[in-house]
Amino acid sequence: MSDAPTLYPVRPDFAAHARIDHARYEHLYAESVRDPDAFWGKVGQRLDWMRAPTTIRDVSFKQQDFRIRWYADGELNASVNCLDRHLATRGDKTALLFEPDDPSQPARRVTYRELHARVCRLANALRHLGIGKGDVVTIYLPMIPEAAVAMLACARIGAIHSVVFGGFSPNSIADRVGDCKSKLIITADEGLRGGKKIPLKANVDAALKLPGTNTVETVLVVRHTGAAVDMQMPRDRWYDAVVDGQSDSCEPERMNAEDPLFILYTSGSTGKPKGVLHTTGGYLVYVSYTHEAVFDLRDDDIYWCTADVGWVTGHSYIVYGPLANGATALVFEGVPNWPDSSRFWQVIDKHQVTIFYTAPTAIRALMREGDAPVKSTSRKSLRLLGTVGEPINPEAWRWYHDVVGDGRCPIVDTWWQTETGGILISPLPGAIDAKPGSATKPFFGIQPALVDANGQILEGEAEGNLVLLDSWPGQMRSVYGDHQRFIDTYFKTYPGMYFSGDGCRRDADGYYWITGRVDDVINVSGHRIGTAEVESALVAHPKVAEAAVVGYPHDIKGQGIYAYVTLIAGEQDNDELRKELVAWVRKEIGPVATPDHLQWAPGLPKTRSGKIMRRILRKIAENAPDQLGDTSTLADPSVVDALVRNRRQP
Ligand code: 6R9
């Protein structure tokens, strides 16, 4: 691998037809930071406004007069921008192309006209059920077209949606429903993934027995697998029954640009997951523009993003960005390795996918299966590949490029976050030479900087913490119900700057290389898990006295979850209890948070003030006991020896 190229220049054949070439990128970037009002004013015109904005940018990251407002006097409706405005020109174009979990079941196409009608029917039904502007609707659905229908129906009537990933447990649903005081939940009887059934309705039932969830008046249930489920009348209603008979036109709510569009819960370094709040105008401008520019979108593209709508990638780059752009987006219910590890590539051939956007963890898992499952398919339709969710290691990047893309397709490695709404750092495929493992250069209007621990901005080649010096339209606006937490979490560490929580290096060419989280967030297969969440799940078990959780390098998942557990006095550790605790965390949070390794810890390394020294625990988990560093400030240095002796052997 040592002689493998480190630079993949823009392909001239790609650049020749690309929307943005190198010169145009440089020109537009300079303009976007010199005069953001003019730049974003112009970009904002890509949407249909009910009232065109006259103010574009109104931002201060300073504590005293903190505000983030974009297009603040504009009015629009997101569903109108994703649906109605396409009807005249693209009514019969496929909006959503649904590929079910089971490949023997037929794929389904939903045209823009049908999607519009389905969204209107559900929107009318929701209004009929008493849902209106500002109410919160929780969506807990599998990857089926109804997920997009539900999101857009909320947008149509000004309700705020909160999508909860189908892999979360009843406890996690209850936490999220309780936090945002949801009035209605849209779910399905069951989900399907890799041939396995996921009891979505039963999970909702269990969640609604938990305290704090009594705001929920109605549960709409999509009949998906046809499984028998408990229906508790009058709370539970079949989706079909309430939607059938509704009119397929629905007057859209006039929304202010800064009215909330959705909440999405994400893990941070402390406490419970926070409800990241995105608003309507700036978000939609930003996701539609980045989707078009980064993926060099053309009208005849078949675009496939493999994310789940339960994560921000599904919100921005399956639903809102692509549909605002009138694109055809593939919605895939299944998994990469079922019925076999050729599934992704078979789906690409079946639907003639041209743009494919997935996560490094999937690439690494499939790479491990060798080239044959890829080579048995054509993939000739592909013209562009993308990745998101975590740093991609150069080996996986090259395999993706050489084997999946046959050396023919550029790769866009897109860095962004739930909080950023859309892509902030990424190559534009016709403009920026790629380097495997680097997200390369900032998007228009994005001003990244690296700072040291004291907040000093580092110039030139440097490594530090990644901050953003100025706002962009897709930026989150608040933590739902706790605006101060928003300011404290993101703007206090380095006053006047947005702190991403990521570490990053900038090379001599000005390319950005994200090195991973520098806070107590673990990135497991591209899913963010707060160490504090796993710890509080563990200590909720009656036999656990204390727990400390860290991330460690994992070949496929990027990072794995390593839990150190101290039992209460008198409890005996054994393999059975270990399994029980792992299952307990799965049940408390969901399968995404399953610890990969659980080590018994008679004691945890703590400072004299009682703070757990995670630095040491991370080194032990990494199997690097020779790099523990200074342990002299520990209250009891001897606990470290015991942990080192009993550490995981890779
Ligand atoms: C979109 C999304 C955000 C965190 C982020 C960073 C990591 C995402 C990345 C990447 C390196 C990339 N991350 N994309 N790291 N290269 N291309 O994933 O949002 O779930 O909020 O995660 O993911 O650590 O801070 P989210």
Side-chain angles (χ1 to χ4, degrees):
M1 272 296 164
S2 56
D3 54 353
T6 50
L7 186 76
Y8 289 69
V10 169
R11 297 177 62 95
D13 54 333
F14 195 98
H17 303 282
R19 288 177 172 271
I20 298 165
D21 64 11
H22 185 72
R24 192 158 167 72
Y25 168 75
E26 295 286 347
H27 171 77
L28 283 178
Y29 182 78
E31 206 168 281
S32 70
V33 294
R34 185 176 48 80
D35 190 350
D37 278 277
F39 181 85
W40 289 113
K42 220 179 296 163
V43 175
Q45 291 168 10
R46 61 188 292 110
L47 298 186
D48 274 9
W49 297 85
M50 292 161 165
R51 174 170 186 235
T54 61
T55 67
I56 306 303
R57 183 182 167 281
D58 179 19
V59 173
S60 168
F61 285 177
K62 301 222 169 62
Q63 302 275 330
Q64 316 81 281
D65 54 351
F66 185 89
R67 62 190 187 279
I68 304 173
R69 290 152 59 83
W70 285 89
Y71 309 105
D73 63 348
E75 286 175 2
L76 76 167
N77 182 285
S79 84
V80 168
N81 277 280
C82 291
L83 301 167
D84 306 50
R85 67 170 175 153
H86 303 313
L87 294 183
T89 49
R90 307 184 166 101
D92 296 320
K93 181 175 175 177
T94 302
L96 300 176
L97 184 49
F98 174 62
E99 172 66 21
D101 185 53
D102 180 348
S104 71
Q105 295 298 308
R108 294 203 301 262
R109 287 175 182 277
V110 185
T111 65
Y112 273 95
R113 203 180 315 285
E114 285 165 40
L115 188 59
H116 174 265
R118 285 170 65 174
V119 167
C120 285
R121 285 200 290 270
L122 178 58
N124 286 325
L126 291 174
R127 274 196 179 134
H128 191 73
L129 290 162
I131 303 297
K133 186 171 176 176
D135 289 333
V136 183
V137 171
T138 293
I139 299 173
Y140 184 66
L141 283 172
M143 277 296 289
I144 55 177
E146 282 80 359
V149 172
M151 292 163 75
L152 293 167
C154 290
R156 191 145 194 108
I157 62 171
I160 306 167
H161 59 71
S162 163
V163 182
V164 176
F165 175 56
F168 278 122
S169 67
N171 275 314
S172 297
I173 303 169
D175 283 348
R176 287 158 174 75
V177 163
D179 184 77
C180 64
K181 303 182 179 57
S182 234
K183 284 172 74 176
L184 185 141
I185 300 181
I186 306 177
T187 189
D189 47 9
E190 290 177 328
L192 281 174
R193 273 173 69 80
K196 293 196 198 83
K197 293 182 168 159
I198 303 170
L200 298 175
K201 173 61 165 64
N203 285 349
V204 169
D205 290 343
L208 294 184
K209 293 204 174 81
L210 296 169
T213 57
N214 58 5
T215 49
V216 175
E217 293 161 8
T218 312
V219 178
L220 294 186
V221 185
V222 175
R223 214 189 284 271
H224 179 48
T225 64
V229 292
D230 253 7
M231 293 295 277
Q232 180 186 312
M233 298 303 173
R235 184 194 74 185
D236 299 347
R237 315 279 292 268
W238 289 107
Y239 178 100
D240 280 345
V242 302
V243 162
D244 284 353
Q246 294 290 345
S247 159
D248 51 18
S249 71
C250 170
E251 190 59 38
E253 198 75 34
R254 275 178 96 92
M255 302 297 282
N256 181 270
E258 286 297 344
D259 282 337
L261 179 61
F262 66 84
I263 303 167
L264 187 57
Y265 285 86
T266 192
S267 297
S269 40
T270 51
K272 296 252 181 221
K274 45 185 175 286
V276 167
L277 183 84
H278 281 288
T279 57
T280 308
Y283 173 81
L284 204 60
V285 168
Y286 196 74
V287 296
S288 73
Y289 186 47
T290 48
H291 178 253
E292 180 185 276
V294 173
F295 297 104
D296 187 49
L297 190 70
R298 295 188 206 158
D299 204 34
D300 58 356
D301 273 317
I302 308 288
Y303 164 85
W304 181 15
C305 165
T306 67
D308 190 284
V309 287
W311 310 111
V312 74
T313 307
H315 283 61
S316 301
Y317 298 114
I318 297 178
V319 179
Y320 287 111
L323 296 179
N325 289 334
T328 296
L330 194 139
V331 171
F332 179 49
E333 190 185 12
V335 296
N337 56 358
W338 186 85
D340 58 56
S341 47
S342 218
R343 184 75 194 273
F344 271 0
W345 327 123
Q346 287 161 2
V347 172
I348 287 170
D349 283 355
K350 177 173 175 187
H351 296 295
Q352 294 294 290
V353 170
T354 57
I355 303 173
F356 180 66
Y357 189 31
T358 195
T361 185
I363 298 167
R364 285 192 299 266
L366 293 169
M367 181 168 119
R368 203 156 76 162
E369 304 294 325
D371 297 0
V374 189
K375 292 274 166 74
S376 66
T377 62
S378 156
R379 291 155 288 108
K380 282 279 184 305
S381 57
L382 286 175
R383 65 182 196 90
L384 180 64
L385 302 171
T387 78
V388 59
E390 49 172 321
I392 181 162
N393 45 314
E395 300 69 40
W397 193 101
R398 290 197 179 91
W399 185 80
Y400 196 32
H401 181 268
D402 297 347
V403 181
V404 174
D406 279 327
R408 176 174 45 79
C409 307
I411 296 178
V412 289
D413 173 355
T414 63
W415 176 82
W416 58 294
Q417 310 178 295
T418 306
E419 293 88 336
T420 70
I423 295 164
L424 297 199
I425 303 181
S426 167
L428 300 186
I432 297 169
D433 300 340
K435 295 185 188 185
S438 171
T440 76
K441 297 269 195 168
F443 191 72
F444 304 127
I446 303 305
Q447 299 183 50
L450 304 179
V451 294
D452 65 16
N454 304 317
Q456 284 303 312
I457 293 188
L458 307 168
E459 305 289 345
E461 248 184 288
E463 182 159 352
N465 289 342
L466 179 62
V467 297
L468 295 150
L469 301 179
D470 203 349
S471 183
W472 59 98
Q475 183 168 26
M476 74 183 279
R477 298 296 197 269
S478 194
V479 169
Y480 190 72
D482 195 349
H483 194 60
Q484 193 57 44
R485 186 171 172 200
F486 172 54
I487 300 172
D488 291 349
T489 306
Y490 301 102
F491 301 92
K492 219 170 162 178
T493 322
Y494 304 113
M497 307 171 192
Y498 168 83
F499 176 39
S500 66
D502 278 330
C504 183
R505 182 166 68 80
R506 187 174 47 223
D507 70 15
D509 299 324
Y511 276 48
Y512 289 85
W513 301 72
I514 311 296
T515 52
R517 303 290 304 194
V518 293
D519 54 8
D520 291 323
V521 172
I522 313 180
N523 191 326
V524 186
S525 301
H527 301 152
R528 278 166 66 168
I529 311 286
T531 53
E533 280 170 78
V534 184
E535 287 164 6
S536 66
L538 281 166
V539 296
H541 189 282
K543 293 186 181 166
V544 173
E546 201 170 22
V549 169
V550 297
Y552 72 102
H554 187 289
D555 282 351
I556 301 294
K557 300 180 177 183
Q559 280 192 295
I561 300 178
Y562 199 112
Y564 297 87
V565 172
T566 309
L567 295 175
I568 60 169
E571 290 298 342
Q572 195 50 53
D573 64 48
N574 54 46
D575 270 352
E576 214 158 298
L577 182 57
R578 188 197 307 272
K579 283 193 197 115
E580 185 183 320
L581 291 179
V582 169
W584 171 269
V585 175
R586 276 176 79 92
K587 195 191 99 246
E588 288 283 305
I589 307 176
V592 285
T594 309
D596 296 279
H597 190 79
L598 193 149
Q599 176 174 347
W600 303 119
L604 290 167
K606 290 183 186 168
T607 61
R608 285 183 203 103
S609 63
K611 260 185 130 141
I612 294 174
M613 289 189 74
R614 288 162 193 287
R615 175 174 60 77
I616 292 174
L617 294 175
R618 274 195 283 267
K619 287 294 170 199
I620 297 172
E622 270 171 36
N623 196 29
D626 47 328
Q627 297 167 27
L628 294 184
D630 182 16
T631 55
S632 63
T633 57
L634 288 176
D636 175 8
S638 74
V639 300
V640 173
D641 302 333
L643 292 178
V644 167
R645 261 198 316 278
N646 298 317
R647 71 185 183 277
R648 172 191 69 103
Q649 296 299 332

